[in-house]
Amino acid sequence: MLFLAIFSYSPEDRDDVIQRGMGTGTKHQGVEVKGEWFDISGHRVFRLFEADDEVHLAASVYAWTDLGIAEIIPVMETEKALKFLKRVGIK
C-alpha cells in the first residue's frame, strides 16, 4: 500500500535531519521509497513510500521519531481511486 509521510521537525534539528537523511541507515526491509521531497521554505520532508504491512510501516517511521513528528496518510493513484469509487457507487 502507498503512504505519504509528512515529517515535521524543529529548526534546531535541521542539521541532524539532513545528516541522517544522507546516511545509509534510512532504508528498511519491507518499505520502498518511491520519492522524497525536502521543503526548502520550512522544516518538513515529504516521502512517498510503499509498505508491505503496518509493522514495516511503523519501523520506518519510528526511526525518525526522535527528531520530529510524522503524519502518515494512506494514498492511492487517482485513476485507481476513481475506479474504486465508481465500484462502490460513489459518483
Coordinates of all heavy atoms in Angstrom, one line a residue:
M1 N 0.8 -1.2 0.0 CA 0.0 0.0 0.0 C 0.9 1.2 0.0 O 2.0 1.3 0.6 CB -0.9 0.0 1.2 CG -1.9 1.1 1.3 SD -3.1 0.8 2.5 CE -4.2 2.1 2.1
L2 N 0.4 2.3 -0.6 CA 1.2 3.5 -0.7 C 0.8 4.5 0.5 O -0.3 4.5 0.9 CB 0.8 4.3 -2.0 CG 1.4 3.7 -3.3 CD1 0.8 4.5 -4.5 CD2 2.9 3.8 -3.3
F3 N 1.8 5.1 0.9 CA 1.6 6.1 2.0 C 2.4 7.4 1.7 O 3.5 7.3 1.1 CB 2.2 5.5 3.3 CG 1.4 4.3 3.8 CD1 1.9 3.1 3.4 CD2 0.3 4.4 4.6 CE1 1.2 1.9 3.9 CE2 -0.4 3.3 5.0 CZ 0.1 2.0 4.6
L4 N 1.9 8.5 2.1 CA 2.6 9.8 2.1 C 2.9 10.2 3.5 O 2.0 10.2 4.4 CB 1.7 10.8 1.4 CG 2.3 12.2 1.4 CD1 3.6 12.3 0.5 CD2 1.4 13.3 0.9
A5 N 4.2 10.3 3.8 CA 4.6 10.8 5.1 C 5.0 12.2 5.1 O 5.7 12.6 4.2 CB 5.7 9.9 5.7
I6 N 4.4 13.0 6.0 CA 4.9 14.4 6.1 C 5.6 14.5 7.4 O 5.0 14.4 8.5 CB 3.7 15.4 6.1 CG1 2.9 15.2 4.8 CG2 4.2 16.8 6.2 CD1 1.6 16.0 4.7
F7 N 6.9 14.7 7.4 CA 7.7 14.7 8.6 C 8.1 16.1 8.9 O 8.7 16.8 8.1 CB 9.0 13.8 8.3 CG 9.9 13.9 9.4 CD1 9.6 13.2 10.6 CD2 11.2 14.5 9.4 CE1 10.5 13.2 11.7 CE2 12.0 14.5 10.4 CZ 11.7 13.9 11.6
S8 N 7.7 16.6 10.1 CA 8.0 17.9 10.5 C 9.0 17.9 11.6 O 8.9 17.1 12.5 CB 6.7 18.6 11.0 OG 5.7 18.6 10.0
Y9 N 9.9 18.8 11.6 CA 11.0 18.9 12.6 C 11.2 20.3 13.0 O 10.9 21.3 12.3 CB 12.2 18.2 12.1 CG 12.8 18.8 10.8 CD1 13.7 19.8 10.9 CD2 12.4 18.3 9.6 CE1 14.2 20.4 9.7 CE2 12.8 18.9 8.4 CZ 13.8 19.9 8.5 OH 14.3 20.5 7.3
S10 N 11.8 20.5 14.2 CA 12.2 21.8 14.7 C 13.4 22.4 14.0 O 14.3 21.6 13.6 CB 12.5 21.7 16.2 OG 11.3 21.2 16.9
P11 N 13.5 23.7 13.9 CA 14.6 24.3 13.2 C 16.0 23.9 13.8 O 16.9 23.7 13.1 CB 14.4 25.8 13.5 CG 12.9 25.9 13.6 CD 12.5 24.7 14.3
E12 N 16.0 23.7 15.2 CA 17.3 23.3 15.8 C 17.7 21.9 15.4 O 18.9 21.5 15.6 CB 17.2 23.5 17.3 CG 16.2 22.7 18.0 CD 14.8 23.4 18.2 OE1 14.6 24.5 17.5 OE2 14.0 22.9 18.9
D13 N 16.8 21.1 14.9 CA 17.1 19.7 14.5 C 17.5 19.6 13.0 O 17.7 18.5 12.5 CB 16.0 18.8 14.8 CG 15.8 18.6 16.3 OD1 16.8 18.7 17.0 OD2 14.7 18.5 16.8
R14 N 17.5 20.7 12.3 CA 17.7 20.7 10.8 C 18.9 19.9 10.4 O 18.9 19.0 9.6 CB 17.8 22.1 10.3 CG 18.0 22.2 8.8 CD 18.4 23.5 8.3 NE 19.8 23.7 8.9 CZ 20.2 24.9 9.2 NH1 19.5 26.0 9.0 NH2 21.4 25.1 9.8
D15 N 20.0 20.3 11.0 CA 21.3 19.6 10.6 C 21.3 18.1 10.9 O 21.8 17.3 10.1 CB 22.5 20.3 11.3 CG 22.7 21.7 10.9 OD1 22.1 22.1 9.8 OD2 23.4 22.5 11.6
D16 N 20.7 17.7 12.0 CA 20.6 16.3 12.3 C 19.7 15.5 11.3 O 20.0 14.4 10.9 CB 20.0 16.1 13.7 CG 21.0 16.5 14.8 OD1 22.2 16.5 14.6 OD2 20.5 16.8 15.9
V17 N 18.6 16.2 10.9 CA 17.7 15.6 9.9 C 18.5 15.4 8.6 O 18.4 14.4 7.9 CB 16.4 16.4 9.7 CG1 15.6 16.0 8.5 CG2 15.6 16.4 11.0
I18 N 19.2 16.4 8.1 CA 19.9 16.4 6.9 C 21.0 15.3 7.0 O 21.2 14.5 6.1 CB 20.5 17.8 6.5 CG1 19.4 18.8 6.2 CG2 21.5 17.7 5.4 CD1 19.8 20.2 6.1
Q19 N 21.7 15.3 8.1 CA 22.8 14.3 8.2 C 22.3 12.9 8.2 O 22.8 12.0 7.5 CB 23.6 14.6 9.5 CG 24.8 13.8 9.7 CD 25.9 14.2 8.7 OE1 25.9 15.3 8.2 NE2 26.7 13.2 8.3
R20 N 21.2 12.6 8.9 CA 20.6 11.3 8.9 C 20.1 10.9 7.6 O 20.2 9.8 7.1 CB 19.6 11.2 10.0 CG 19.1 9.7 10.1 CD 18.1 9.6 11.2 NE 18.6 9.9 12.5 CZ 17.8 10.0 13.6 NH1 16.6 9.7 13.6 NH2 18.4 10.3 14.7
G21 N 19.5 11.9 6.9 CA 18.9 11.6 5.6 C 20.0 11.3 4.5 O 19.7 10.6 3.6
M22 N 21.2 11.8 4.7 CA 22.3 11.5 3.8 C 22.9 10.1 4.1 O 23.7 9.6 3.3 CB 23.3 12.6 3.9 CG 22.8 13.9 3.4 SD 23.9 15.3 3.9 CE 25.0 15.3 2.5
G23 N 22.6 9.6 5.3 CA 23.3 8.3 5.7 C 22.6 7.1 5.0 O 21.6 7.2 4.3
T24 N 23.1 6.0 5.3 CA 22.5 4.7 4.7 C 21.6 4.1 5.6 O 21.0 3.1 5.3 CB 23.7 3.7 4.3 OG1 24.4 3.4 5.5 CG2 24.6 4.3 3.3
G25 N 21.4 4.6 6.8 CA 20.5 4.0 7.8 C 19.0 4.3 7.6 O 18.2 4.0 8.5
T26 N 18.6 4.9 6.5 CA 17.2 5.2 6.3 C 16.4 4.2 5.6 O 15.3 4.4 5.3 CB 17.1 6.6 5.6 OG1 17.8 6.5 4.3 CG2 17.8 7.7 6.4
K27 N 17.0 3.1 5.2 CA 16.4 2.1 4.4 C 15.9 1.0 5.3 O 16.5 0.6 6.3 CB 17.3 1.5 3.3 CG 17.8 2.5 2.4 CD 18.2 1.9 1.1 CE 18.8 2.9 0.1 NZ 18.7 4.3 0.2
H28 N 14.6 0.5 5.1 CA 14.0 -0.5 5.9 C 13.5 -1.6 5.0 O 12.8 -1.4 4.0 CB 12.9 0.1 6.8 CG 13.4 1.0 7.8 ND1 13.9 0.6 9.0 CD2 13.5 2.4 7.8 CE1 14.3 1.7 9.7 NE2 14.1 2.7 9.0
Q29 N 13.7 -2.9 5.5 CA 13.1 -4.0 4.8 C 11.6 -3.9 4.8 O 11.0 -3.5 5.8 CB 13.5 -5.3 5.4 CG 13.0 -6.5 4.7 CD 13.5 -7.8 5.4 OE1 14.2 -7.7 6.5 NE2 13.2 -8.9 4.9
G30 N 11.0 -4.2 3.7 CA 9.5 -4.1 3.6 C 9.0 -2.8 3.2 O 7.8 -2.6 3.2
V31 N 9.9 -1.8 3.0 CA 9.5 -0.4 2.7 C 10.3 0.0 1.5 O 11.5 -0.1 1.5 CB 9.7 0.5 3.8 CG1 9.4 2.0 3.4 CG2 8.9 0.1 5.1
E32 N 9.6 0.5 0.4 CA 10.2 1.0 -0.8 C 9.9 2.5 -0.9 O 8.7 2.8 -1.1 CB 9.8 0.2 -2.0 CG 10.5 0.7 -3.3 CD 10.0 0.0 -4.5 OE1 9.2 -1.0 -4.4 OE2 10.3 0.5 -5.6
V33 N 10.9 3.3 -0.9 CA 10.7 4.8 -1.1 C 10.5 5.0 -2.6 O 11.3 4.6 -3.4 CB 11.9 5.6 -0.5 CG1 11.7 7.1 -0.9 CG2 12.0 5.4 0.9
K34 N 9.4 5.7 -2.9 CA 9.0 6.0 -4.3 C 9.5 7.4 -4.7 O 9.7 7.7 -5.8 CB 7.5 5.9 -4.5 CG 6.9 4.5 -4.2 CD 7.4 3.5 -5.2 CE 6.6 2.2 -5.1 NZ 6.9 1.3 -6.2
G35 N 9.6 8.3 -3.7 CA 10.0 9.6 -3.9 C 10.1 10.4 -2.6 O 9.5 10.0 -1.6
E36 N 10.9 11.4 -2.6 CA 11.1 12.2 -1.4 C 11.4 13.6 -1.8 O 12.1 13.9 -2.7 CB 12.3 11.6 -0.5 CG 12.4 12.3 0.8 CD 13.4 11.6 1.7 OE1 14.6 11.7 1.4 OE2 13.0 10.9 2.6
W37 N 10.8 14.6 -1.0 CA 11.0 16.0 -1.3 C 11.2 16.7 0.0 O 10.6 16.5 1.0 CB 9.7 16.5 -2.0 CG 9.4 15.8 -3.2 CD1 9.8 16.2 -4.5 CD2 8.6 14.6 -3.4 NE1 9.3 15.2 -5.4 CE2 8.6 14.3 -4.8 CE3 8.0 13.7 -2.5 CZ2 7.9 13.1 -5.2 CZ3 7.3 12.6 -3.0 CH2 7.3 12.4 -4.4
F38 N 12.2 17.6 -0.1 CA 12.6 18.5 1.0 C 12.0 19.8 0.9 O 12.1 20.5 -0.2 CB 14.1 18.5 1.0 CG 14.7 19.2 2.2 CD1 14.8 18.5 3.4 CD2 15.1 20.5 2.2 CE1 15.4 19.1 4.5 CE2 15.7 21.1 3.3 CZ 15.8 20.4 4.5
D39 N 11.2 20.3 1.9 CA 10.6 21.6 1.8 C 11.7 22.7 2.2 O 12.1 22.8 3.3 CB 9.5 21.7 2.8 CG 8.8 23.0 2.9 OD1 9.2 24.0 2.2 OD2 7.8 23.1 3.7
I40 N 12.2 23.4 1.1 CA 13.2 24.3 1.4 C 12.8 25.6 2.0 O 13.6 26.4 2.5 CB 14.0 24.7 0.1 CG1 13.1 25.2 -1.0 CG2 14.7 23.4 -0.5 CD1 13.8 25.7 -2.2
S41 N 11.5 25.8 2.1 CA 11.0 27.0 2.8 C 10.5 26.8 4.2 O 10.2 27.7 4.9 CB 9.8 27.6 2.0 OG 8.7 26.7 2.1
G42 N 10.6 25.5 4.7 CA 10.2 25.2 6.0 C 10.9 24.0 6.6 O 12.0 23.8 6.1
H43 N 10.4 23.4 7.5 CA 11.0 22.3 8.2 C 10.2 21.0 8.1 O 9.8 20.4 9.1 CB 11.2 22.7 9.7 CG 12.0 23.9 9.8 ND1 13.4 23.9 9.6 CD2 11.7 25.2 10.1 CE1 13.8 25.2 9.8 NE2 12.8 26.0 10.0
R44 N 10.1 20.6 6.8 CA 9.4 19.4 6.5 C 10.0 18.6 5.4 O 10.7 19.1 4.6 CB 7.9 19.7 6.0 CG 7.1 20.4 7.1 CD 5.7 20.7 6.6 NE 5.8 21.6 5.4 CZ 4.7 22.0 4.7 NH1 3.6 21.7 5.1 NH2 4.9 22.8 3.7
V45 N 9.8 17.3 5.4 CA 10.2 16.4 4.4 C 8.9 15.6 4.0 O 8.2 15.1 4.9 CB 11.3 15.4 4.9 CG1 11.6 14.4 3.8 CG2 12.5 16.2 5.3
F46 N 8.7 15.4 2.7 CA 7.6 14.6 2.2 C 8.2 13.4 1.6 O 9.1 13.4 0.8 CB 6.8 15.4 1.1 CG 6.3 16.7 1.6 CD1 7.1 17.9 1.6 CD2 5.0 16.8 2.2 CE1 6.6 19.1 2.1 CE2 4.5 18.0 2.6 CZ 5.3 19.1 2.6
R47 N 7.6 12.2 2.0 CA 8.1 10.9 1.4 C 6.9 10.1 1.0 O 6.0 9.9 1.8 CB 8.9 10.2 2.5 CG 9.4 8.9 2.0 CD 10.2 8.1 3.1 NE 11.5 8.7 3.1 CZ 12.5 8.3 4.0 NH1 12.2 7.4 4.8 NH2 13.7 8.9 3.9
L48 N 7.0 9.6 -0.2 CA 6.0 8.7 -0.8 C 6.7 7.3 -0.7 O 7.8 7.1 -1.2 CB 5.6 9.0 -2.2 CG 4.6 8.1 -2.8 CD1 3.3 8.2 -2.1 CD2 4.5 8.4 -4.3
F49 N 6.0 6.4 -0.1 CA 6.6 5.0 0.0 C 5.5 4.0 0.0 O 4.3 4.2 0.2 CB 7.5 4.9 1.2 CG 6.8 5.1 2.6 CD1 6.3 4.1 3.3 CD2 6.7 6.4 3.1 CE1 5.7 4.3 4.5 CE2 6.1 6.6 4.3 CZ 5.6 5.6 5.0
E50 N 6.0 2.8 -0.3 CA 5.1 1.6 -0.3 C 5.6 0.7 0.8 O 6.8 0.4 1.0 CB 5.2 0.9 -1.6 CG 4.1 -0.2 -1.8 CD 4.0 -0.7 -3.2 OE1 4.8 -0.3 -4.1 OE2 3.1 -1.5 -3.5
A51 N 4.6 0.2 1.7 CA 5.0 -0.7 2.8 C 4.2 -2.0 2.7 O 3.0 -2.0 2.3 CB 4.7 0.0 4.1
D52 N 4.9 -3.0 3.0 CA 4.3 -4.4 3.0 C 3.1 -4.5 4.0 O 2.1 -5.1 3.7 CB 5.3 -5.5 3.2 CG 6.3 -5.6 2.1 OD1 6.1 -5.1 1.0 OD2 7.3 -6.3 2.3
D53 N 3.3 -3.9 5.2 CA 2.3 -4.0 6.2 C 2.6 -3.0 7.3 O 3.5 -2.2 7.2 CB 2.3 -5.5 6.8 CG 3.7 -5.9 7.3 OD1 4.4 -5.0 7.9 OD2 4.0 -7.0 7.2
E54 N 1.7 -3.0 8.3 CA 1.8 -2.0 9.4 C 3.1 -2.1 10.2 O 3.6 -1.1 10.7 CB 0.6 -2.0 10.3 CG 0.4 -3.2 11.1 CD -0.2 -4.4 10.5 OE1 -0.5 -4.4 9.3 OE2 -0.4 -5.4 11.1
V55 N 3.6 -3.3 10.3 CA 4.9 -3.5 11.1 C 6.1 -2.8 10.4 O 6.8 -2.1 11.0 CB 5.2 -5.0 11.3 CG1 6.5 -5.2 12.0 CG2 4.1 -5.6 12.2
H56 N 6.2 -3.0 9.1 CA 7.2 -2.4 8.3 C 7.0 -0.9 8.3 O 8.0 -0.1 8.4 CB 7.3 -2.9 6.9 CG 7.8 -4.4 6.9 ND1 6.9 -5.4 6.9 CD2 9.0 -4.9 6.9 CE1 7.6 -6.5 6.9 NE2 8.9 -6.2 6.9
L57 N 5.8 -0.4 8.2 CA 5.5 1.0 8.2 C 5.9 1.6 9.5 O 6.6 2.6 9.5 CB 4.0 1.2 8.0 CG 3.4 2.6 8.2 CD1 4.0 3.6 7.2 CD2 1.9 2.6 8.1
A58 N 5.6 1.0 10.6 CA 5.9 1.6 11.9 C 7.4 1.6 12.1 O 8.0 2.6 12.6 CB 5.3 0.7 13.0
A59 N 8.1 0.6 11.7 CA 9.6 0.5 11.8 C 10.3 1.7 11.1 O 11.2 2.3 11.6 CB 10.1 -0.8 11.4
S60 N 9.8 2.0 9.9 CA 10.4 3.0 9.1 C 10.1 4.4 9.6 O 11.0 5.3 9.5 CB 9.9 2.9 7.6 OG 8.6 3.3 7.5
V61 N 9.0 4.6 10.2 CA 8.6 5.9 10.8 C 9.3 6.1 12.2 O 9.8 7.1 12.5 CB 7.1 6.0 10.9 CG1 6.7 7.3 11.7 CG2 6.5 6.0 9.6
Y62 N 9.3 5.0 13.0 CA 9.8 5.1 14.3 C 11.3 5.5 14.4 O 11.7 6.2 15.3 CB 9.7 3.7 15.0 CG 10.1 3.8 16.5 CD1 9.3 4.4 17.4 CD2 11.3 3.3 16.9 CE1 9.6 4.4 18.8 CE2 11.7 3.4 18.2 CZ 10.9 4.0 19.2 OH 11.2 4.0 20.5
A63 N 12.0 5.2 13.3 CA 13.4 5.6 13.3 C 13.7 7.1 13.3 O 14.8 7.5 13.5 CB 14.1 4.9 12.0
W64 N 12.6 7.8 13.0 CA 12.7 9.3 12.9 C 12.0 10.0 14.1 O 12.1 11.3 14.2 CB 12.1 9.8 11.6 CG 13.0 9.4 10.4 CD1 12.9 8.3 9.7 CD2 14.1 10.2 9.9 NE1 13.9 8.3 8.7 CE2 14.6 9.4 8.8 CE3 14.6 11.4 10.2 CZ2 15.7 9.9 8.0 CZ3 15.7 11.9 9.4 CH2 16.2 11.1 8.4
T65 N 11.3 9.3 14.9 CA 10.5 10.0 15.9 C 11.3 10.7 17.0 O 10.7 11.6 17.7 CB 9.6 9.0 16.6 OG1 10.3 8.0 17.2 CG2 8.6 8.4 15.6
D66 N 12.6 10.5 17.1 CA 13.4 11.3 18.0 C 13.7 12.7 17.5 O 14.1 13.5 18.2 CB 14.7 10.5 18.3 CG 15.6 10.3 17.1 OD1 15.0 10.1 16.0 OD2 16.8 10.4 17.2
L67 N 13.5 12.9 16.2 CA 13.8 14.2 15.6 C 12.6 15.0 15.2 O 12.7 16.2 14.8 CB 14.7 14.0 14.3 CG 16.1 13.5 14.6 CD1 16.8 13.3 13.3 CD2 16.9 14.6 15.5
G68 N 11.4 14.4 15.2 CA 10.2 15.1 14.7 C 9.0 14.3 14.8 O 8.9 13.2 15.3
I69 N 7.9 14.8 14.1 CA 6.6 14.1 14.1 C 6.3 13.8 12.6 O 6.4 14.6 11.7 CB 5.6 15.1 14.6 CG1 5.9 15.4 16.1 CG2 4.2 14.5 14.5 CD1 5.0 16.5 16.7
A70 N 5.8 12.6 12.4 CA 5.4 12.1 11.1 C 3.9 11.9 11.0 O 3.3 11.3 11.9 CB 6.1 10.8 10.7
E71 N 3.3 12.6 10.0 CA 1.9 12.4 9.7 C 1.9 11.4 8.6 O 2.5 11.6 7.5 CB 1.3 13.7 9.3 CG -0.2 13.5 9.0 CD -0.8 14.8 8.6 OE1 -0.1 15.9 8.5 OE2 -2.0 14.8 8.2
I72 N 1.2 10.3 8.7 CA 1.1 9.2 7.7 C -0.3 9.2 7.1 O -1.3 9.1 7.8 CB 1.4 7.8 8.3 CG1 2.7 7.9 9.1 CG2 1.4 6.8 7.2 CD1 4.0 8.2 8.3
I73 N -0.3 9.3 5.8 CA -1.5 9.4 5.0 C -1.6 8.3 4.0 O -0.7 8.2 3.1 CB -1.7 10.7 4.3 CG1 -1.5 11.9 5.3 CG2 -3.0 10.8 3.6 CD1 -1.2 13.2 4.7
P74 N -2.5 7.3 4.1 CA -2.6 6.3 3.0 C -3.1 6.9 1.8 O -4.1 7.7 1.8 CB -3.6 5.3 3.6 CG -4.3 5.9 4.7 CD -3.5 7.1 5.1
V75 N -2.5 6.7 0.6 CA -2.9 7.3 -0.6 C -3.0 6.2 -1.7 O -2.5 5.1 -1.5 CB -1.9 8.4 -1.1 CG1 -1.9 9.5 -0.1 CG2 -0.5 7.8 -1.3
M76 N -3.7 6.6 -2.8 CA -3.8 5.7 -3.9 C -3.8 6.6 -5.2 O -4.2 7.7 -5.1 CB -5.1 4.9 -3.7 CG -6.1 4.8 -4.8 SD -7.6 3.8 -4.5 CE -7.4 2.9 -3.0
E77 N -3.3 6.0 -6.3 CA -3.3 6.7 -7.5 C -4.7 7.1 -7.9 O -5.6 6.4 -7.7 CB -2.6 5.9 -8.6 CG -1.1 5.6 -8.3 CD -0.5 4.6 -9.3 OE1 -1.3 4.1 -10.1 OE2 0.7 4.4 -9.2
T78 N -4.8 8.3 -8.5 CA -6.1 8.9 -8.8 C -7.0 8.0 -9.7 O -8.1 7.7 -9.4 CB -6.0 10.3 -9.4 OG1 -5.3 11.1 -8.5 CG2 -7.4 10.9 -9.8
E79 N -6.4 7.4 -10.7 CA -7.1 6.5 -11.6 C -7.7 5.3 -10.9 O -8.8 4.9 -11.0 CB -6.2 6.1 -12.8 CG -7.0 5.3 -13.8 CD -6.1 4.9 -15.0 OE1 -5.2 5.7 -15.4 OE2 -6.3 3.8 -15.5
K80 N -6.9 4.7 -10.0 CA -7.3 3.6 -9.2 C -8.4 4.0 -8.2 O -9.4 3.3 -8.0 CB -6.1 3.0 -8.5 CG -6.4 1.8 -7.7 CD -5.1 1.2 -7.1 CE -5.3 -0.1 -6.3 NZ -4.1 -0.6 -5.7
A81 N -8.3 5.2 -7.6 CA -9.3 5.7 -6.7 C -10.6 5.9 -7.4 O -11.6 5.6 -6.8 CB -8.8 7.0 -6.0
L82 N -10.6 6.5 -8.6 CA -11.8 6.7 -9.3 C -12.5 5.4 -9.6 O -13.7 5.3 -9.5 CB -11.5 7.6 -10.6 CG -11.1 9.0 -10.3 CD1 -10.7 9.7 -11.6 CD2 -12.1 9.8 -9.5
K83 N -11.8 4.4 -10.1 CA -12.4 3.1 -10.3 C -13.0 2.5 -9.1 O -14.1 1.9 -9.1 CB -11.3 2.2 -10.9 CG -10.9 2.5 -12.3 CD -9.9 1.5 -12.8 CE -9.4 1.9 -14.2 NZ -8.4 1.0 -14.7
F84 N -12.3 2.6 -8.0 CA -12.8 2.1 -6.7 C -14.1 2.9 -6.3 O -15.0 2.2 -5.9 CB -11.7 2.3 -5.6 CG -12.2 2.2 -4.2 CD1 -12.6 0.9 -3.7 CD2 -12.5 3.3 -3.4 CE1 -13.1 0.8 -2.4 CE2 -13.0 3.2 -2.1 CZ -13.3 1.9 -1.6
L85 N -14.1 4.2 -6.4 CA -15.3 4.9 -6.0 C -16.4 4.6 -6.9 O -17.6 4.5 -6.4 CB -14.9 6.5 -6.1 CG -13.9 6.9 -5.1 CD1 -13.6 8.4 -5.3 CD2 -14.5 6.8 -3.7
K86 N -16.2 4.4 -8.2 CA -17.3 4.0 -9.1 C -17.8 2.6 -8.7 O -19.0 2.4 -8.7 CB -16.7 4.0 -10.5 CG -17.8 3.8 -11.6 CD -17.2 3.9 -13.0 CE -18.4 3.7 -14.0 NZ -17.8 3.8 -15.4
R87 N -16.9 1.7 -8.3 CA -17.3 0.4 -8.0 C -18.2 0.3 -6.7 O -19.1 -0.4 -6.6 CB -16.1 -0.5 -7.8 CG -16.4 -2.0 -7.7 CD -15.2 -2.9 -7.7 NE -14.4 -2.7 -6.5 CZ -13.1 -2.4 -6.6 NH1 -12.4 -2.2 -7.7 NH2 -12.4 -2.2 -5.4
V88 N -17.9 1.2 -5.8 CA -18.7 1.3 -4.5 C -19.9 2.2 -4.6 O -20.6 2.4 -3.6 CB -17.8 1.6 -3.3 CG1 -16.8 0.6 -3.1 CG2 -17.2 3.0 -3.4
G89 N -20.1 2.8 -5.8 CA -21.4 3.5 -6.0 C -21.3 5.0 -5.7 O -22.3 5.7 -5.7
I90 N -20.1 5.5 -5.6 CA -19.9 7.0 -5.4 C -19.7 7.6 -6.7 O -18.8 7.2 -7.5 CB -18.8 7.3 -4.4 CG1 -19.0 6.7 -3.0 CG2 -18.5 8.8 -4.3 CD1 -17.9 6.8 -2.1
K91 N -20.5 8.6 -7.0 CA -20.4 9.3 -8.4 C -19.8 10.6 -8.3 O -19.9 11.3 -7.4 CB -21.8 9.3 -9.0 CG -22.3 7.9 -9.2 CD -23.7 8.0 -9.8 CE -24.2 6.6 -10.0 NZ -25.5 6.5 -10.6

